[in-house]
Structure formats: C-alpha cells, structure tokens
Amino acid sequence: MHPLDIVQALLYGVVYGSIYALAASGFALTLGVMQIVNFAHGHFIVVAGFLSLLLFRLWAVDPFVSIAATVPLAFVLGAAIYSLVLRHVVMESHHTQIMVTLGIGLIIENVLLLAFGGDLRLASTGYTSRTLRLGGLALSVPKVVAAVLAVVTVALLWAMLRYTKLGKAIRASTDNWQAATLMGIDVRRVRLYAFGLSAVTAAVAGSSLPTFYLLSPFSGIEFLLKAFAIVVIGGVEDVRGVVIGGLLLGLLEAAAGMLFSAAIGSAFTFAVVLVFLAWRPSGLLGRA
Amino acid sequence: MFQVRPLPNTGTAVLTVTLVVVVLALPMVLNSYYLTLAVSAALWAYLSLCWNLSGGYAGLFSFGHTAFFAAGAYTSTLLYTELAVSPWLGMFAGAGMGALLALIIAVLAVRYRIRGMYFSLATVAVVEILRPVLDTWSSVGGSTGILLPLLNSPGNMLFIKRAYYYYVIVGLVAVAMLVTWMIARSRLGYYAIAIREDETAAEVSGVPSARVKRQMLAISAALTAVGGTFYAQFYLFIQPEIVLGWDPQMQMILGTMVGGPGTVAGPVVGSLAFSVLTEVLQLLPIGWSPEIAAIVMRLIWGVILVAVMLYLPGGLLGMGLHARKRARVARA
C-alpha cells in the first residue's frame, strides 16, 4: 500500500473520529450528569438527519445551514421527552431506563419509517463529491466541514461545562446531586437543560451527516453502539475522554478497514470494546 | 419481591386443563396460514421464556441472546447438511454450544466485574463480532446463509405438515415454562432473584453469585439454542443477518418486559400479545399492507413499552407498583 494512502485513510479516521466524538458527547453527558442511559440517543441523531434531508428536499436548504433550525427544535424536543418521560425514571435502575429509551427509540424509528420509508438517503449538494487537494491527498469537502463543525461543537460543550454557571451547576450535579441541591442548585432544572443540550449535540451531528453519510431510519442503533463504545473507551466524566474515545474509534476503524475488510474491521472494533470493558471499565480517563 | 406461592386451586386447574386442550386442538381448526402464524408466535413466546431466565430472573440483561440462538441454528444445521446428523440430536449439540458460549461470557463477566448495562454492551459486542465473522466465513454459508431441504423427514425434524412443527414448538414452550417454574421454586431461583435485586447485598449474604450467574445464563442459552435449531428447521433458511439481527433480540426482550419479567407466564403473555396485535392490525379494514401494519405495530409496541415501564414496571403479570415503590424507598 502506498504511504500516502495510509496517511489519507488515517486522516479519514480522524475525520470520522471527530464526528463520532460529537455523536457520543451527548450520550456521555446524560450518562455522566443524570446517570441516565439513553438508548434512543442514536435515534435523536437520525431524526435530525432526516429533518435536514426534508428541508433539503423541500426548499433546497443546505444540510449544514439547516442546523440553525434543527438545534432549537432538538432542544425543545429533548426537553419535552425528558419532562414527559425520562424525569420519572431518573432514580430507577439502568435496566428500566434502557427499556424506556429503547421504547422511545422504537417510536422514533417507526415514525421515520412511516414518513420516509426504509431506504438509505443522501443529500446530493453541489459540493457532495468535491474534494480538497493537499499534496497527494484528496479529502472530501463535506466530511472535512462536518469534522470541523464537530470539533467546534465539542469544544464549545467543553468550554460551556467548564466556564459557565450552567456548566458548573451541571458538573456539581454530576459529582454529588444531593450536595448540589443543598448549595441551592435547582438540580431538576439542570437535568432538563443537560438533556436538552445532549439532544442539541445529537442534532448537530445528525444534520451534518446527510451530505456524505447514507442514513436510514435504522441507523440509530449504529450510532448508539458507537457512542456506547466511545464512552467505554474514554469514560463519561470528562468531555476530553469522549474526544479521545472518538478519535481512537475512528482510527481503529480506519486501520482495521485497511488491514482487513470493513466487516472484519467492525468486529475488531467491538473486540477492542470488550478489552476495554475488562481492562479499564471506567475508561482511559476515568477513576479506576 | 418474591413470595411463597400457594398450590394451584381447582379453579386454576380447570383453567389450565381447558387451555391445554384448546392449544392442542388448534391445528384441527386453523388453516395453514394461521398455523404458520401460531408456530411463529409460539417460537417467540419460547424465546422470550428463555431470555426471561437470564434477564427476568437473574438480572443478566443480555442483548446477545441471538448469539446463542445462532449457535443452535448453525450447529444443528451444519451437522445435518455436512454430516447428516439428525437435528433431533444436533439440537442437543447446539444447546451445548450455546451453553459453552454462555459459560465463557459469564466467567469473563464475573472475572472482570462487568455488570448492569456494561454486561448488556458486552453481550451486544459478542453479537457484533460474531456477525461479520459468520458473514465472511464462506464454508458455513457466509452472508448468503444456508438452505435446508423442503422434504418430509420426521427423523430429521422436517415436516411438510405445519401441524407437526406446531406440536414441537408447543412442547418446547411447555418445557421452558416447566424449567422456569422449577427454577423459580428452587434455591437457584431464589439466589438469582437476590442477585437481580441487589448483587452486592446478595454476595454479602452468602449467595454464590458467580456460580448462580453461570448456571442461569448457561441454562437460558442452552434453551435459546434449541429455539435456534427449531427456527432453522421451520423456516429452512438461516443467515447471519437474520439469526444475529437486532429484531429477534428485541422481540425476546419486549415480550418479557411487557408480559412480566421474572414470572413464568409473563413472557408468553407478552409475546403472544405482540403476535396477535400484529395480525389484528393487518386484518383491520384500513387497507394497510403487511409492511405498514408491521411498522405501525412496532410503533404501538414502543408506546406500550414506555407506558409499561412507567406505570407497570413489573409487566402485565408482575406486581409492578409494589416493586416500583420498593425501589423508590431503597434509593431515597
């Protein structure tokens, strides 16, 4: 294999890794802050993708531009799902939460199936097949844009959690929600905002996919498993863990895809997840 | 949340006998279309019963039971097509393979303390590893799968008449219910429930949790594998995308959770409700195609699942509200 091909494949690993990190950041946020396992998180991503596809088909809105519409919508929908359903299972076992969110995922998946059918879909924009040439490398424009957007969003999430009042409240509620309540933090509202934010990250990830990634109503489970794998690799306690996990997953997939076939590459990824579950159950950055 | 059950009284005895007679007489009334549906409904009920032993009783929330299902389907089918071993025997070899796989998973899960949702993820990972491996392994059919011959050979569990399949699967359901009932009344069952409710507390009280988990998962897996053999013999076609798919796994879990995890009849009630509702939706005079009806059904099922988990966490047959209150109190 030509060395440039290897560099190119690894670069795509970084590109996909950034997008995976964004996809996982919301899952990690709800798991870390609220101890809520959201098995519908992948479906949140897919919903945003299909909304962008719809806007593209109806009014030729560029999927990346449509983020301006899907993000506020995602916040409202996320907050609604939280206050209608998930609020009641915050204190329940993970098994209960898994079942409830699986139910929500089933509802989303089948509503999308009724509305759009089961085909794989892509938004063919003017730049879908355009590439960026760097030396001997050729990088797809929409993938690079999506990756940059993912990096920016994850960085904003990190800065928000670190420097804003809401972010501090979210972190305080993660560490010890009882103490946070005693300090005057309205933990219930913090949870609502955190869940809304998680849906927002899903919307950014979902809306940046349709220009280069074939989406179907069944794609939700695929993103859920990726997010779960990243959380196992990186841990839930810090956004940086998610970034490391996402990049590792992207690079692993790229490397395994080069060395073996794509199918065996996916098997390899899950083998790594098993190794991490055994070796580092709380992730690379987690407390042992 | 367990209690000592009184012996069945005359009322339930009469009901049971009536039910048994009706179930056994069904093939005489049903045409072949409905008989096929009945077989498939009974198969899902059976698989839900199997999953219930692990997820409902022991709290081992496996998302990888399709791995055991596939172990059974592939073992008996390959033994039959390659070595002409009767699937009646291959079924036991498949059960052995399923149990072996389960033992490996259980031993590693205990060794590395993989519990709760991480156990769920680990079992998903096993399936996600097995599927591409089987997909690319051409000597076991690869992604195109394996076809079984359509012929009448009762010695090889192949029948032209649907009624025979019906009696086989109804027998399997009865066996699974009997096994569940016996386990629920045994020391093993009480240990399993103790682990499900609070693993640490159970261990401190002297419950040998590692052994109980191994046994429960292995029994559940062996029975699931038998279901895999039956699936192959009935549909005469197996393929990694199907037997290791997400759908069969979801059906096992949904049937159990809605019907009543940790009960003997709950998984049967839940998965039969699923099959019956799907069929009723297709019969409604709205002009829905079977595909649309199936989608609407799954949509409704999602709503039912959320509603049951919120308002009846013990399922239709469980003492839901009681367990929910207890969980609240324990966490407060």
Side-chain angles (χ1 to χ4, degrees), chain A residues 31 37 39 84-85 88-96 98-100 102-104 106-111 113-114 178 218 221 224-225 228-229 231-232 236 261 263-264 266-268 270-271 273-274 277-279 281, chain B residues 51 55 59-61 63 112-114 116-126 128-130 132-133 135-136 246-247 250 253-254 257 292 294-296 298-299 301-303 305-306 309-311 313 324 327-328 331:
Chain A
L31 187 57
V37 195
F39 265 43
L84 284 176
V85 181
H88 303 288
V89 293
V90 169
M91 291 294 163
E92 303 283 342
S93 71
H94 279 163
H95 291 165
T96 305
I98 288 174
M99 293 318 298
V100 168
L102 267 181
I104 294 172
L106 258 181
I107 296 171
I108 292 175
E109 182 177 301
N110 290 291
V111 166
L113 270 172
L114 283 179
Q178 278 126 331
F218 302 110
I221 185 67
L224 169 72
L225 288 180
F228 213 154
V231 161
V232 165
V236 287
S261 64
I264 295 295
S266 134
F268 183 70
F270 281 97
V273 168
L274 282 182
L277 274 176
W279 173 54
Chain B
W51 188 83
L60 292 164
F61 230 71
F63 275 68
Y112 292 106
R113 303 177 63 80
I114 300 171
M117 64 163 176
Y118 293 103
F119 180 79
S120 306
L121 177 64
T123 48
V124 173
V126 170
E128 295 296 318
I129 290 168
L130 278 179
V133 168
D135 260 336
T136 42
W246 186 247
D247 246 36
M250 284 296 285
I253 299 179
L254 291 186
M257 295 311 288
I292 298 288
I295 294 172
V296 174
R298 288 161 55 88
L299 178 59
W301 207 244
V303 176
L305 182 62
V306 172
M309 293 317 291
L310 287 184
Y311 302 110
R324 188 181 162 88
R328 279 257 169 80
R331 275 172 185 259

Side-chain angles (χ1 to χ4, degrees), chain A residues 25-37:
Chain A
S25 61
F27 182 75
L29 186 65
T30 49
L31 187 57
V33 174
M34 299 181 271
Q35 290 290 308
I36 282 196
V37 195

Side-chain angles (χ1 to χ4, degrees), chain B residues 19 28 32 39 75 111 122 142 148 160 170 188 202 238 246 260 318:
Chain B
L19 210 64
M28 293 160 205
S32 117
V39 172
T75 305
R111 162 72 181 77
L148 279 96
I160 297 295
V170 164
L188 177 66
I238 54 171
W246 186 247

Side-chain angles (χ1 to χ4, degrees), chain A residues 3-281:
Chain A
L4 265 182
D5 291 343
I6 297 176
V7 173
Q8 170 131 351
L10 292 181
L11 265 177
Y12 271 136
V14 173
V15 163
Y16 275 102
S18 318
I19 299 164
Y20 292 161
L22 175 61
S25 61
F27 182 75
L29 186 65
T30 49
L31 187 57
V33 174
M34 299 181 271
Q35 290 290 308
I36 282 196
V37 195
N38 181 11
F39 265 43
H41 191 74
H43 293 93
F44 286 9
I45 295 173
V46 175
V47 168
F50 270 90
L51 271 176
S52 295
L53 277 166
L54 186 69
L55 289 174
F56 178 73
R57 206 165 57 187
L58 288 181
W59 299 303
V61 180
D62 186 279
F64 286 111
V65 175
S66 71
I67 289 176
T70 58
V71 157
L73 207 63
F75 187 85
V76 172
L77 280 177
I81 288 176
Y82 177 73
S83 34
L84 284 176
V85 181
L86 291 174
R87 186 164 58 89
H88 303 288
V89 293
V90 169
M91 291 294 163
E92 303 283 342
S93 71
H94 279 163
H95 291 165
T96 305
Q97 296 172 357
I98 288 174
M99 293 318 298
V100 168
T101 50
L102 267 181
I104 294 172
L106 258 181
I107 296 171
I108 292 175
E109 182 177 301
N110 290 291
V111 166
L112 287 179
L113 270 172
L114 283 179
F116 299 97
D119 298 336
L120 288 162
R121 285 172 196 283
L122 193 75
S124 310
T125 56
Y127 52 85
T128 292
S129 52
R130 199 171 294 168
T131 54
L132 208 68
R133 299 208 168 270
L134 278 174
L137 303 169
L139 289 172
S140 140
V141 168
K143 286 182 192 174
V144 172
V145 175
V148 170
L149 199 62
V151 170
V152 170
T153 312
V154 173
L156 279 176
L157 180 68
W158 177 78
M160 197 281 300
L161 286 174
R162 194 170 170 87
Y163 297 112
T164 67
K165 211 167 175 183
L166 175 63
K168 281 178 186 160
I170 287 177
R171 282 187 294 134
S173 312
T174 311
D175 285 342
N176 187 337
W177 69 267
Q178 278 126 331
T181 311
L182 292 174
M183 295 301 116
I185 294 174
D186 185 349
V187 172
R188 281 174 304 176
R189 227 180 52 201
V190 166
R191 285 181 175 147
L192 181 75
Y193 287 153
F195 200 82
L197 271 178
S198 153
V200 164
T201 61
V204 177
S207 292
S208 53
L209 287 171
T211 46
F212 64 93
Y213 198 97
L214 286 163
L215 275 179
S216 92
F218 302 110
S219 307
I221 185 67
E222 192 183 315
F223 286 106
L224 169 72
L225 288 180
K226 288 210 158 75
F228 213 154
I230 288 168
V231 161
V232 165
I233 295 174
V236 287
E237 297 185 358
D238 195 324
V239 175
R240 286 173 297 182
V242 174
V243 172
I244 294 173
L247 289 178
L248 261 176
L249 186 69
L251 286 171
L252 266 174
E253 275 190 5
M258 263 190 297
L259 295 173
F260 320 103
S261 64
I264 295 295
S266 134
F268 183 70
T269 310
F270 281 97
V272 170
V273 168
L274 282 182
V275 169
F276 265 90
L277 274 176
W279 173 54
R280 259 307 170 68

Side-chain angles (χ1 to χ4, degrees), chain B residues 7-278:
Chain B
L7 285 170
N9 55 27
T10 341
T12 45
V14 170
L15 193 72
T16 313
V17 171
T18 322
L19 210 64
V20 167
V21 170
V22 168
V23 166
L24 291 181
L26 265 184
M28 293 160 205
V29 207
L30 295 180
N31 62 25
S32 117
Y33 173 77
Y34 281 104
L35 206 48
T36 307
L37 273 177
V39 172
S40 133
L43 175 62
W44 292 116
Y46 173 78
L47 290 169
S48 295
L49 279 165
C50 300
W51 188 83
N52 182 38
L53 284 173
S54 145
Y57 279 96
L60 292 164
F61 230 71
S62 157
F63 275 68
H65 262 57
T66 43
F68 312 136
F69 184 64
Y74 270 89
T75 305
S76 65
T77 302
L78 286 171
L79 282 175
Y80 175 59
T81 55
E82 303 293 315
L83 302 169
V85 176
S86 162
W88 289 113
L89 296 174
M91 182 171 87
F92 291 100
M97 288 292 282
L100 184 69
L101 186 59
L103 280 178
I104 295 171
I105 292 173
V107 165
L108 291 176
V110 167
R111 162 72 181 77
Y112 292 106
R113 303 177 63 80
I114 300 171
R115 293 179 179 181
M117 64 163 176
Y118 293 103
F119 180 79
S120 306
L121 177 64
T123 48
V124 173
V126 170
V127 173
E128 295 296 318
I129 290 168
L130 278 179
R131 195 190 311 118
V133 168
L134 279 182
D135 260 336
T136 42
W137 190 355
S138 54
S139 52
V140 298
S143 57
T144 45
I146 310 175
L147 275 167
L148 279 96
L150 174 66
L151 46 90
N152 196 39
S153 167
N156 289 318
M157 212 199 285
L158 291 166
F159 313 99
I160 297 295
K161 275 202 168 151
R162 302 267 170 212
Y164 296 114
Y165 285 112
Y166 177 82
Y167 286 120
V168 172
I169 189 65
V170 164
L172 283 176
V173 169
V175 168
M177 286 181 81
L178 186 69
V179 169
T180 309
W181 184 71
M182 277 162 46
I183 287 178
R185 288 161 49 91
S186 73
R187 183 178 291 262
L188 177 66
Y190 286 121
Y191 279 166
I193 291 169
I195 292 172
R196 177 191 73 195
E197 294 294 305
D198 189 334
E199 187 164 349
T200 314
E203 279 175 357
V204 171
S205 317
V207 171
S209 71
R211 177 171 64 82
V212 172
K213 282 182 176 181
R214 281 200 305 271
Q215 289 177 349
M216 290 300 283
L217 195 64
I219 295 170
S220 169
L223 290 170
T224 307
V226 171
T229 298
F230 180 83
Y231 180 96
Q233 298 301 120
F234 181 65
Y235 289 102
L236 303 175
F237 176 56
I238 54 171
Q239 192 189 24
E241 293 301 321
I242 298 172
V243 293
L244 287 169
W246 186 247
D247 246 36
Q249 182 59 68
M250 284 296 285
Q251 290 215 21
M252 288 182 220
I253 299 179
L254 291 186
T256 306
M257 295 311 288
V258 170
T263 63
V264 177
V268 179
V269 171
S271 50
L272 286 186
F274 186 83
S275 306
V276 170
L277 274 175
T278 310

